[in-house]
Every structure is written in structure tokens, then in C-alpha cells.
Amino acid sequence: TGAISSLQRQLEIQESQLRRTRSEMEMLQKKLRERENQLQAMTTKFSSLREERKHEDMVAMAEEEKWSLQQLVTEQESKLAEQDKLLSELQGRVSQLQAEVLSGRHRIQKQQRAQEEIQNQAEMLQHRELQTRVALERLTSRFERFRSKIIQVTFSAAGVRPPQAELTDEEVLEAMQVRGSLQLSFQQPITNRQES
């Protein structure tokens, strides 16, 4: 944007110089026409005079001034053409920078949309994580209650000593297997007696 503003200022300066040069050129062309008219009038006037030499000298001076003015007009036209070219280049540069700015804005908007989408996905993942944590806590609580009940049932039998320290899951499973084996061995003779 700063580069565009700078180029636009340069553009305004060049346009001002261009207008000034055109104005000067118009003034010079006007002077040239006036000199040509004066020369024509002088030529007409001196044609009727007898002093041929004086007339020739003045005509030569007028021709020289006319040539000098024509040279000046040519130079001004050349400067005008250069300024026109520079003005065209500056306008092209301004257009290019404006297109780059527009493209940059599009990229920024695209990045902002992508960032918003990522933010939404992150929020959704955080919500899912929270739901998963809540569900995990519930499952952990249920598992602990279930484990506690298993320990109570396993160690409530007569003659079984309650654990002195906190049991691991493997120790609980082993105690359940021992309890199951004992119950099975107690039920076997009863079943045999009933059958006999």
C-alpha cells in the first residue's frame, strides 16, 4: 500500500510536470505563430521598401528566431513523449501493485478461513476429548466398584484371611480362581451323595 501511495504521488508529480510542459509548448507554439505572422507582415512590409539589404537582414533574423523556436518546440515534444512513456510505466506499475495487493488479500482471507476451520476442528476434538474423559471416569468408577465387590466375595469365605495390602488385578484373579476351585471341590461330594 505504501509503494502504491508513493507511485501515485510520483504519478501526480509527473502529470503536473506533463501539464506544465504542454502549457509551455502551447505558449511556444503561440509565440512561433506570432513570430511567423510578424515575419509575414515584415516580409510584406519590406517587400515594398527600397532598402533591400536591411530587409534581408531582418528576414534572416526572423528566420533564425523561427528556427530557434522550432528547435525548442521539438525539444519540448521530445520531453513530452518521455514523460508520457514514464507516466504509462508508472500507471502499469500501480496496476501491478494493486493486483498484488488484491491477490495478497485473497491469500490472507483464505488463510483466515483455513485457520477458522482448524480452530473449529480443535474445539470439536476438545469436546470429544472431554466426553471421552467423562466416559472413562465413569467406566473407571464402575470397574473399581466391581473389583471391590469381587474382592469382598472372594475373601468373605470362612477361613480366608482378608488381604493385608492393596491387591493387584493378577492377585485378585488368582484368588478368584482359588475360590472357584474350592467351591467346586466342596460341591463334588455333595453331588455324588445326591446321585447315590
Side-chain angles (χ1 to χ4, degrees):
T1 306
I4 289 174
S5 299
S6 176
L7 282 172
Q8 284 176 337
R9 282 196 297 273
Q10 289 182 21
L11 201 59
E12 289 169 3
I13 291 168
Q14 290 296 326
E15 286 175 346
S16 174
Q17 289 179 351
L18 198 61
R19 286 193 296 271
R20 194 163 50 250
T21 304
R22 282 180 175 154
S23 176
E24 289 174 1
M25 193 176 74
E26 287 172 3
M27 190 174 65
L28 287 170
Q29 286 175 338
K30 184 178 177 183
K31 282 184 179 179
L32 183 62
R33 284 193 295 272
E34 287 174 359
R35 292 295 184 196
E36 285 176 346
N37 291 335
Q38 287 176 2
L39 181 62
Q40 187 64 38
M42 286 168 66
T43 304
T44 305
K45 184 179 178 181
F46 284 119
S47 63
S48 62
L49 295 175
R50 295 177 183 172
E51 300 175 359
E52 184 85 24
R53 187 166 181 178
K54 190 175 180 181
H55 167 66
E56 287 175 359
D57 289 342
M58 292 191 74
V59 168
M61 283 174 58
E63 287 288 346
E64 188 178 343
E65 189 176 355
K66 176 184 172 183
W67 180 85
S68 176
L69 284 170
Q70 282 178 336
Q71 287 293 106
L72 195 54
V73 167
T74 303
E75 287 174 9
Q76 292 296 328
E77 285 175 345
S78 176
K79 285 182 183 177
L80 192 64
E82 286 178 6
Q83 288 179 348
D84 277 335
K85 182 181 176 183
L86 182 59
L87 192 65
S88 177
E89 288 174 357
L90 286 171
Q91 286 172 338
R93 182 63 180 153
V94 167
S95 299
Q96 182 185 351
L97 285 172
Q98 285 174 337
E100 288 175 5
V101 167
L102 188 62
S103 174
R105 283 179 183 163
H106 286 321
R107 281 199 304 272
I108 289 169
Q109 288 173 355
K110 189 176 179 182
Q111 287 173 351
Q112 284 175 341
R113 285 194 296 269
Q115 189 174 355
E116 287 171 4
E117 188 177 344
I118 290 169
Q119 184 79 21
N120 292 336
Q121 288 177 356
E123 288 173 2
M124 187 173 64
L125 286 172
Q126 285 176 348
H127 182 65
R128 285 183 183 172
E129 182 187 6
L130 183 62
Q131 288 178 330
T132 306
R133 283 178 185 270
V134 170
L136 182 62
E137 286 174 5
R138 288 178 183 167
L139 284 172
T140 304
S141 177
R142 288 177 63 187
F143 174 74
E144 288 298 327
R145 287 198 300 271
F146 180 67
R147 188 175 184 273
S148 178
K149 285 180 182 178
I150 289 173
I151 292 171
Q152 286 176 3
V153 170
T154 303
F155 292 97
S156 64
V160 178
R161 287 189 305 168
Q164 300 299 316
E166 189 175 347
L167 297 173
T168 63
D169 292 341
E170 289 78 9
E171 289 171 339
V172 173
L173 182 61
E174 187 179 342
M176 281 179 59
Q177 289 172 345
V178 169
R179 171 81 186 266
S181 299
L182 286 172
Q183 281 182 344
L184 201 61
S185 62
F186 282 132
Q187 286 176 355
Q188 193 67 34
I190 295 169
T191 305
N192 292 339
R193 280 200 298 270
Q194 286 176 350
E195 287 176 357
S196 59

